[in-house]
Amino acid sequence: MRPSPSPDSRLILHRVTLLIAFFAAIFSPVPSFAADSPANRSAAGTHGMVVSESDDAAHAGVEILKQGGNAVDAAVATALAVGVANPASCGIGGGGFMLIYLAKKHAFYALDYRETAPLMAHPDMYLRNGKPDPSLSKDGILAVAVPGEIAGIDAALRRFGTMKFQQIAAPAEKLADNGFAVNPHLADEIAHTLPKLSADPGMREVFVKPDGSPAKAGETIYAKKLAATLKKLGDDPVANFYHGEIAAQIVSFMKEHGGLITANDLTNYRPIWRNPIKRQYRGYEVYAMPPPSSGGVVLEMLGMLDTGQLAGLGVNSPPYLARLIEVMRQGFIDRAQYADPAFVGVEIGKLLSDQHIAELRERALHRKAPADAPAAHDHGTTNLLVADKDGNVVALTTTTNTVFGALMSVPSLGLLLNDEMDDFAIAPGVPNAYHLAGERANEIRPGKRPLSSMTPIIVTKNDRPVMTTGGSGGPTIISGVLQVTLNILDFHLDAAQAVDEPRIHEQAVPDVVIVEEAMPAATRTALEQMGYKLRLVPSLGAVGALTMEPGNYRGASDQRKGGGAVGY
Ligand code: GLY
């Protein structure tokens, strides 16, 4: 029997309260999302675990763990391999965030290797005849920000790794050189972007067959030029990528195509070690990436929910979802205050304070009239999770932004270029690829990092990590990470069940609740009866999960995008 609403149910619209009896009558447990899961979509391990959106990459990470590497070594190997096997999502032309827990020191580290705006970039760079042209920040040479991937993984390895770069890059090089089977997700992305891929000589060579048709799921493709580039990085990848011959080729490509990135941009690029942020949630400590990540937004949302037992409402019950919607809306409104802290004073302490979060909870009682807008289709970005035998944990999210980034490559290097400039506000109020409206705090400045939705998190209890999660899919990362975390912490689902549960997404603007089709019809009807405007989508992003007890690791990749969990 469903318990009566707790006092904090003020969060729920009063209509919800009136309808609870009705919901109780129609509510039944939500079925699992994935019907035909491959055997390795979830796994158990006693010594370690790698969860990745690419099965090949998860195996690459475990190969490194088995060779004696630690979680940082394995995370880097996985990141490089997923850049080969899921090139629509990420790669050495992109950048990301790495959240690291070192068991021996019981310490957390946050590494920001997000791309930066080139030094020649400026707030008006996408205005044409006085009007913003959003296409310019999404596709083509002007969309490209200075890549941070190689500098980031090198910094992590130098500080915490145990192996040389070439040993760690070997599985990725093998995949690129010997070929790999196109997974269904990649096949889909190739098919969707075929005309653009065909127009780019470098991408055509890899993803398009000589007769002009797209590489299909299960077929083997080769990324020989990328393999050669990975080899050329040697054991000093920063010197070679940002200063040496590879840098020269990138700069000359930029010049030839009217791009902004110069040799100066590359030599000046630095990853940044930042202080992780954290907040209590029901006796757990949740650690997240600070700005320019949106990790703080997830912590704010958890803070708003930290007033009672969600479990009593039932996983994915209409009252629970109504509460989530209101909390997500407030969190996304606050997201506008997040940006690169080197350029904007983000008051993260205030945003995460009890007082501010109590105010947000109050505001969640009021809402604007829903507006309509399309849901963004995006499968860019990737997340991976690693735990090793010593209890070290890495949660890493990396991206080239939207599918196949700028849809341009440096052919001689097999280097796919990012379109991370689109994560900036190209003009106030102008939405980006994810329908996130532009805000002043996130306007373009030379050398600035765009605000990101990537939010890898690690959760501890009694000073020991108990779970980690992260995802891909633009702003749905924030809502997905929140829901998977609650599924584990409040509803006690295992990693696979937590990931499989259907999800919702609400980002305040547009004020429409995006709901996965797998959400039961009765639940959707109940939400509509509360006054929510719903938009159905086949799936929302991809979120992986890894739970940890001593000697018992459980991992699950998200079959919305594929991939695998490999334990050992
Ligand atoms: N490029 C996706 C994100 O960082 O949010």
Side-chain angles (χ1 to χ4, degrees):
M1 201 179 79
R2 192 176 311 288
S4 50
S6 57
D8 62 312
S9 63
R10 287 175 304 151
L11 273 176
I12 309 170
L13 298 169
H14 70 282
R15 278 169 288 179
V16 179
T17 317
L18 296 174
L19 288 165
I20 278 180
F22 170 64
F23 300 147
I26 60 169
F27 178 72
S28 60
V30 178
S32 179
F33 182 88
D36 304 314
S37 300
N40 65 352
R41 60 74 34 107
S42 66
T46 50
H47 292 79
M49 172 71 61
V50 180
V51 177
S52 165
E53 292 174 9
S54 152
D55 193 31
D56 286 331
H59 280 101
V62 166
E63 191 179 322
I64 293 299
L65 287 179
K66 285 183 176 167
Q67 288 172 25
N70 65 15
V72 174
D73 297 317
V76 171
T78 309
L80 289 168
V82 77
V84 174
N86 274 3
S89 299
C90 62
I92 62 172
F97 298 132
M98 204 183 306
L99 190 61
I100 300 170
Y101 169 75
L102 278 198
K104 207 157 64 182
K105 299 190 174 180
H106 181 57
F108 282 84
Y109 304 86
L111 180 59
D112 168 356
Y113 51 103
R114 182 93 165 133
E115 302 93 320
T116 60
L119 295 171
M120 282 199 287
H122 54 88
D124 298 338
M125 66 185 277
Y126 298 119
L127 296 188
R128 295 293 179 269
N129 301 321
K131 287 204 186 117
D133 181 346
S135 70
L136 295 173
S137 61
K138 292 182 184 71
D139 294 353
I141 201 77
L142 291 179
V144 188
V146 183
E149 186 82 3
I150 289 296
I153 60 185
D154 179 73
L157 284 181
R158 283 181 195 276
R159 188 161 179 193
F160 298 124
T162 65
M163 292 176 169
K164 294 229 188 269
F165 186 83
Q166 276 307 308
Q167 187 175 355
I168 282 166
E173 288 169 13
K174 215 176 344 165
L175 276 178
D177 217 6
N178 298 352
F180 58 95
V182 173
N183 62 41
H185 159 73
L186 178 58
D188 200 34
E189 301 301 18
I190 295 172
H192 274 103
T193 43
L194 187 64
K196 297 242 167 115
L197 297 183
S198 304
D200 178 89
M203 296 207 272
R204 187 171 59 230
E205 189 179 312
V206 178
F207 305 113
V208 184
K209 292 190 244 183
D211 67 359
S213 65
K216 298 205 174 60
E219 292 177 352
T220 300
I221 60 172
Y222 302 84
K224 295 276 181 192
K225 301 253 170 61
L226 177 58
T229 300
L230 290 170
K231 283 197 183 90
K232 271 190 223 149
L233 291 171
D235 283 328
D236 195 352
V238 167
N240 292 318
F241 189 91
Y242 293 90
H243 304 265
E245 189 212 322
I246 296 172
Q249 287 187 51
I250 296 172
V251 170
S252 108
F253 182 86
M254 286 286 152
K255 264 195 197 137
E256 198 184 321
H257 292 85
L260 300 189
I261 296 175
T262 63
N264 237 354
D265 282 308
L266 293 173
T267 54
N268 281 329
Y269 184 85
R270 296 285 180 280
I272 301 172
W273 290 100
R274 300 190 184 275
N275 292 324
I277 51 174
K278 66 170 179 174
R279 205 171 193 288
Q280 293 264 341
Y281 177 72
R282 292 189 50 242
Y284 298 92
E285 296 266 7
V286 184
Y287 289 81
M289 284 294 305
S293 157
S294 296
V297 178
V298 173
L299 298 189
E300 288 188 52
M301 290 173 177
L302 284 169
M304 282 182 259
L305 294 166
D306 192 14
T307 55
Q309 292 283 333
L310 288 182
L313 295 176
V315 65
N316 279 345
S317 66
Y320 165 71
L321 293 176
R323 187 175 298 197
L324 281 190
I325 292 164
E326 299 307 322
V327 158
M328 285 177 191
R329 181 184 293 109
Q330 292 308 317
F332 270 97
I333 290 169
D334 259 17
R335 186 181 180 274
Q337 297 181 50
Y338 288 67
D340 183 342
F343 290 79
V344 175
V346 185
E347 294 188 83
I348 193 75
K350 188 173 150 213
L351 289 167
L352 298 183
S353 68
D354 289 344
Q355 187 190 334
H356 178 69
I357 282 171
E359 284 165 13
L360 289 184
R361 216 177 280 131
E362 281 303 311
R363 266 184 242 149
L365 288 167
H366 310 285
R367 66 194 186 99
K368 295 179 202 155
D372 200 2
H377 165 86
D378 172 70
H379 286 91
T381 309
T382 202
N383 179 259
L384 61 99
L385 309 166
V386 182
D388 69 18
K389 65 178 176 14
D390 298 318
N392 304 311
V393 181
V394 176
L396 184 161
T397 314
T398 184
T399 189
T400 42
N401 201 18
T402 56
V403 172
F404 287 111
L407 287 154
M408 267 190 116
S409 70
V410 182
S412 57
L413 298 172
L415 178 73
L416 274 57
L417 297 166
N418 69 74
D419 64 336
E420 216 64 60
M421 292 298 287
D422 192 59
D423 271 347
F424 280 115
I426 69 162
V430 174
N432 71 0
Y434 307 108
H435 303 295
L436 292 164
E439 301 286 348
R440 243 329 143 220
N442 192 32
E443 72 181 358
I444 300 168
R445 292 274 179 235
K448 189 175 174 183
R449 295 171 190 221
L451 174 58
S452 174
S453 295
M454 300 189 293
T455 64
I457 66 165
I458 300 174
V459 181
T460 65
K461 178 129 191 171
N462 302 326
D463 288 341
R464 190 180 61 74
V466 291
M467 67 160 285
T468 177
T469 181
S472 61
T476 69
I477 296 172
I478 297 170
S479 50
V481 162
L482 174 73
Q483 287 167 91
V484 169
T485 302
L486 296 172
N487 286 346
I488 292 174
L489 300 186
D490 287 82
F491 299 109
H492 307 293
L493 301 186
D494 68 23
Q497 292 168 326
V499 163
D500 285 351
E501 279 296 326
R503 293 196 286 264
I504 61 165
H505 174 74
E506 155 73 47
Q507 62 180 47
V509 181
D511 192 1
V512 56
V513 184
I514 304 175
V515 181
E516 288 187 329
E517 285 163 1
M519 191 67 79
T523 308
R524 290 190 249 132
T525 304
L527 290 173
E528 280 167 344
Q529 285 173 344
M530 290 177 206
Y532 291 115
K533 188 172 179 61
L534 308 189
R535 179 173 296 279
L536 278 189
V537 293
S539 70
L540 277 168
V543 182
L546 201 173
T547 59
M548 293 150 264
E549 287 166 12
N552 181 11
Y553 301 87
R554 301 207 167 242
S557 69
D558 193 334
Q559 294 312 290
R560 291 164 178 82
K561 193 169 169 181
V566 183
Y568 91 107

